[in-house]
Amino acid sequence: MTAIEKNEISYVDEKSESVYDTKAHQIVQIDNFQVLGLHPDDAEFYTNYSEKKRRKVIRKVDVRLVPMLAVLYLISHIDRANIGNAKIEGMVTDLKLSNIEWNVVLSVFFVPYILLEVPSNMLLKKFKRPSVYLGILIVAWGIIMTCMGVVKDFASLLATRILLGVFEAGFFPGAVYLCSYWYMPKDLATRISYFYCASALSGAFSGLLAAAIAKMDGVGGYEGWRWIFLLEGIATVILGVSCFFLLIDSPALSGRWLEPDEIRFLELQKFIKDGGKFSEENQEKFRWNDLKMVLSNWRLYMQAYILLCISACSYGTKFTLPTITKGMGFNNTNAQLMTVPPYVCGAISSIVFARLSDRFYWRLPFVAIPLSLIAIGYSIIIGFQGNLRANLGPSFFAIILTCIGIYPVQPAGSSWAANNLAPSSRRAIGVAFNICIGNIGGIVGSYMYLESEKPKYNTGFGLSLAFGASGFIVAFLLEASYKWGNSKKARLDEDEIRAKYTDRELLEMGDKSPLFKYIL
C-alpha cells in the first residue's frame, strides 16, 4: 500500500481549510473509505507513517498469518478430498458401496458445509480470539477424520462425512474474514491466493501421501485406505491444537511481536476500512439489516455463481482425477502420483494470477482468463471420447490446463466480493454467503462424474465445459454492472446527497451509499 499524503484525506461534510478542524461525527474520506470520527492526531499519524514502515509491518503479518492459514487450508482440503484416493485403494469394495451410495457419500458433506458457513462467521465475530474458535473446529474435524478410518459400512461413513461438513464449514469463510481484518482491499487477493493455492497443493499432497500410506496395507489389521484416514486425521488434530498458540488474532492482542506504533497503525487501518466509530458502535450486536442487505444484493449472486462454477469443477476434479489418471493406463500407485503435476501447476497459477490482480488492482481479467482455460481444457478432453490412453500427452496437457484455470478464480473472486461490501459486519456475512452459495457447486461436482459413463464421463466433462464458459460470460456482466453502478453514482451531486442524508445514514447504507465506489 502506498503512503497516503495529507491532501488525499479530506473531511467531506464541511468545507474546512485544515484537516485538523473537526467536529463530532465528521466524516473523513480516505481513498474509497468513508470514516466517521477519525481523530486529527490519528489522521496525522496514519498519513505520516512511511511506506518503509508499512511494508515492514505487513511483512510481519504475512509471516505469521499466511503460512499458518495455508497449512490449515491444505489439511482441510486433504481431509475432505482424500476419499477419492481411498476409493482406488479398495474402500468402495470393502464397504460394499453401490455407485449411487458413493455419490451420496461425496455430496452429503456439502449439506451442513453450505448451511453453516454464514452462521459460523456470525459466531466467529463473537470471539475475541478467532484462533480459539478456529482451533476448536480443526480439532473436531480431525477427530472425525480419524473415525473415518474405522467405519464399517455405508451408514457410518455417511455419518462421519456429515459431521466433517459440520466442522469444516466455518474454516474457509473465517480465514477470508481474518485476512480482510488484517489487510487493505488492494492487498487481499494475493494473501488469499497464498493459502488458497493450498487447495491445489492438497490434491498433489493427497496423491503423494495416499501412494505412501497405502503401502501400510495390513498393518495392525487395517486396510491401506483406512490408514489414509487415520494418519491424516491425527495430523489434523495436532495442527488444530497448534492453532491455539500460533494463529494470530488481532493487532491489540499481538504486543509480543508488534511494536506499539505498528499496533496503532494496524488498528487505524482497520478503523478506516470499517468506517470508523460507526463500525465500533455496531460490532457487538448482530444487525438483521446487514443480512437483509446481503440477501438483496443481486451482484453478490453473480459473484457466487462464478464461485459455484469453480467449486463444481474443483471438487469434480478432486474426487475423480485419480480415477481419470488410472483410466489413462497407470496402475494404482502411478495413478496417485500422476495427479501431482496438474495440482502443482494449479497452485502456481493461483499465486501468479493473484499477484497480477493485486498489481493492476483489477479483478476481471484474472477471473475471466482462467475460466476460459477451463472451457478450452474440457473441450479438448471431450473430443477424445474417453480414449485417453491413446491420447495420453494431449489429454494430460488438457487436465493440467483445467487445473491452471480452476485455482486462480477463488482468490480473485472472494476478494472482489469482499472489496465491494461495507461495513465490516456486512462484509463478514457477505463473504460467508458468497462462499456458501458457491459451495453448492460441491454437491454438483459430487454427481457430475458417473461410474456408468466411465471412461467418457460425458456428463462430468460437459458440465465442466459449460461452467467454464458460463462463468466467463457472467464475469463480464458483473464488471459491466459495477461500471454502470459507478457511473450512475457519479452523476449524483454530492452536496445534494449530504443535504438529503446524515453521516450515519450514509454509513448505514455501506456499499449501497451513493458515495461508495465499487472496486473493479
Side-chain angles (χ1 to χ4, degrees):
M1 176 179 176
T2 58
I4 301 175
E5 300 296 333
K6 286 186 182 180
N7 58 12
E8 292 184 63
I9 299 180
S10 59
Y11 290 92
V12 296
D13 63 343
E14 68 174 10
K15 303 300 181 183
S16 172
E17 295 182 358
S18 170
V19 296
Y20 304 112
D21 296 335
T22 186
K23 66 181 185 181
H25 303 306
Q26 188 177 19
I27 290 182
V28 182
Q29 182 162 334
I30 300 180
D31 287 345
N32 194 39
F33 301 107
Q34 305 285 324
V35 188
L36 180 66
L38 183 65
H39 194 277
D41 291 343
D42 290 331
E44 182 178 17
F45 172 83
Y46 189 79
T47 58
N48 290 330
Y49 206 75
S50 69
E51 175 66 19
K52 182 179 179 180
K53 288 181 177 180
R54 290 169 191 255
R55 284 198 302 266
K56 180 184 176 183
V57 69
I58 294 301
R59 201 157 43 239
K60 280 187 174 183
V61 175
D62 285 342
V63 169
R64 286 163 178 82
L65 181 62
V66 176
M68 188 66 186
L69 289 178
V71 172
L72 294 173
Y73 199 54
L74 171 69
I75 203 72
S76 76
H77 267 267
I78 287 177
D79 287 348
R80 77 183 66 164
N82 57 11
I83 193 170
N85 302 101
K87 178 186 178 183
I88 68 171
E89 297 298 339
M91 184 188 74
V92 171
T93 302
D94 292 340
L95 296 182
K96 299 180 175 59
L97 301 180
S98 67
N99 289 344
I100 189 62
E101 285 176 337
W102 166 252
N103 291 118
V104 169
V105 164
L106 294 183
S107 64
V108 75
F109 165 88
F110 293 98
V111 176
Y113 188 83
I114 291 167
L115 294 176
L116 296 177
E117 284 184 310
V118 172
S120 178
N121 251 26
M122 292 178 183
L123 186 58
L124 174 64
K125 284 178 65 64
K126 300 292 184 182
F127 279 74
K128 185 177 181 181
R129 293 190 58 206
S131 61
V132 172
Y133 179 70
L134 295 177
I136 291 171
L137 292 182
I138 295 162
V139 170
W141 94 57
I143 294 171
I144 299 301
M145 175 56 53
T146 306
C147 291
M148 286 182 67
V150 295
V151 296
K152 299 297 184 182
D153 51 27
F154 168 68
S156 54
L157 180 61
L158 195 67
T160 54
R161 287 289 291 180
I162 291 172
L163 288 173
L164 188 66
V166 168
F167 291 107
E168 280 209 37
F171 178 71
F172 183 60
V176 172
Y177 176 70
L178 195 58
C179 282
S180 70
Y181 186 102
W182 285 90
Y183 297 107
M184 294 297 271
K186 68 175 297 184
D187 302 315
L188 195 55
T190 298
R191 272 66 185 189
I192 293 176
S193 77
Y194 284 147
F195 74 83
Y196 186 73
C197 79
S199 171
L201 289 177
S202 70
F205 276 105
S206 191
L208 290 171
L209 288 171
I213 295 173
K215 301 296 183 184
M216 295 178 65
D217 188 35
V219 175
Y222 289 115
E223 296 91 344
W225 64 265
R226 292 187 184 276
W227 281 110
I228 293 174
F229 295 131
L230 289 168
L231 294 183
E232 292 177 2
I234 292 169
T236 301
V237 172
I238 294 171
L239 281 170
V241 172
S242 70
C243 190
F244 296 116
F245 307 100
L246 300 179
L247 186 62
I248 61 177
D249 293 299
S250 67
L253 297 174
S254 303
R256 194 165 41 85
W257 56 276
L258 286 174
E259 299 295 330
D261 69 316
E262 293 173 333
I263 293 174
R264 185 183 179 189
F265 169 75
L266 289 170
E267 289 286 352
L268 277 174
Q269 179 177 269
K270 182 179 184 301
F271 183 84
I272 290 167
K273 179 174 56 181
D274 292 347
K277 288 188 179 297
F278 177 79
S279 176
E280 286 186 340
E281 292 166 4
N282 290 282
Q283 64 183 354
E284 295 300 326
K285 58 185 179 181
F286 174 70
R287 301 168 67 240
W288 286 102
N289 184 59
D290 285 331
L291 180 59
K292 176 185 175 183
M293 296 297 284
V294 165
L295 294 176
S296 61
N297 187 336
W298 58 273
R299 289 187 177 90
L300 201 57
Y301 289 93
M302 297 174 74
Q303 296 273 13
Y305 178 75
I306 294 172
L307 295 191
L308 185 150
C309 293
I310 289 303
S311 183
C313 294
S314 175
Y315 285 111
T317 299
K318 272 192 170 67
F319 294 144
T320 316
L321 188 55
T323 305
I324 293 173
T325 53
K326 190 175 181 180
M328 292 179 180
F330 299 103
N331 61 29
N332 282 7
T333 300
N334 287 336
Q336 302 276 24
L337 296 175
M338 289 305 291
T339 64
V340 175
Y343 288 127
V344 171
C345 291
I348 293 171
S349 74
S350 174
I351 294 175
V352 170
F353 275 92
R355 289 184 68 89
L356 290 172
S357 177
D358 276 351
R359 169 68 178 82
F360 292 101
Y361 205 20
W362 187 20
R363 305 307 181 201
L364 173 67
F366 310 103
V367 170
I369 292 173
L371 285 165
S372 69
L373 295 179
I374 294 173
I376 293 168
Y378 283 112
S379 297
I380 296 171
I381 295 173
I382 288 175
F384 295 135
Q385 285 295 297
N387 194 13
L388 303 183
R389 184 178 299 195
N391 300 278
L392 181 59
S395 60
F396 195 66
F397 168 76
I399 289 292
I400 290 175
L401 199 63
T402 61
C403 286
I404 290 174
I406 288 170
Y407 291 98
V409 177
Q410 181 76 268
S414 295
S415 61
W416 200 2
N419 292 351
N420 287 301
L421 291 168
S424 64
S425 56
R426 193 175 305 167
R427 187 182 308 121
I429 298 171
V431 165
F433 174 80
N434 193 42
I435 296 168
C436 165
I437 299 298
N439 275 325
I440 293 174
I443 298 177
V444 179
S446 302
Y447 288 95
M448 285 185 352
Y449 292 89
L450 306 173
E451 281 292 302
S452 59
E453 294 185 350
K454 188 172 65 175
K456 291 185 179 181
Y457 289 123
N458 287 331
T459 300
F461 293 144
L463 280 175
S464 298
L465 167 59
F467 281 133
S470 61
F472 178 84
I473 295 169
V474 170
F476 277 93
L477 293 175
L478 181 63
E479 169 93 347
S481 77
Y482 281 134
K483 286 185 176 179
W484 172 77
N486 282 342
S487 63
K488 184 179 178 182
K489 290 180 179 183
R491 290 194 295 268
L492 300 175
D493 184 81
E494 186 172 321
D495 291 334
E496 290 182 4
I497 293 170
R498 297 197 173 280
K500 184 177 180 180
Y501 301 105
T502 65
D503 296 348
R504 189 166 300 280
E505 286 173 335
L506 288 169
L507 289 168
E508 176 79 27
M509 292 179 195
D511 51 272
K512 298 297 183 182
S513 166
L515 299 179
F516 183 92
K517 294 180 181 178
Y518 296 113
I519 297 173
L520 303 179

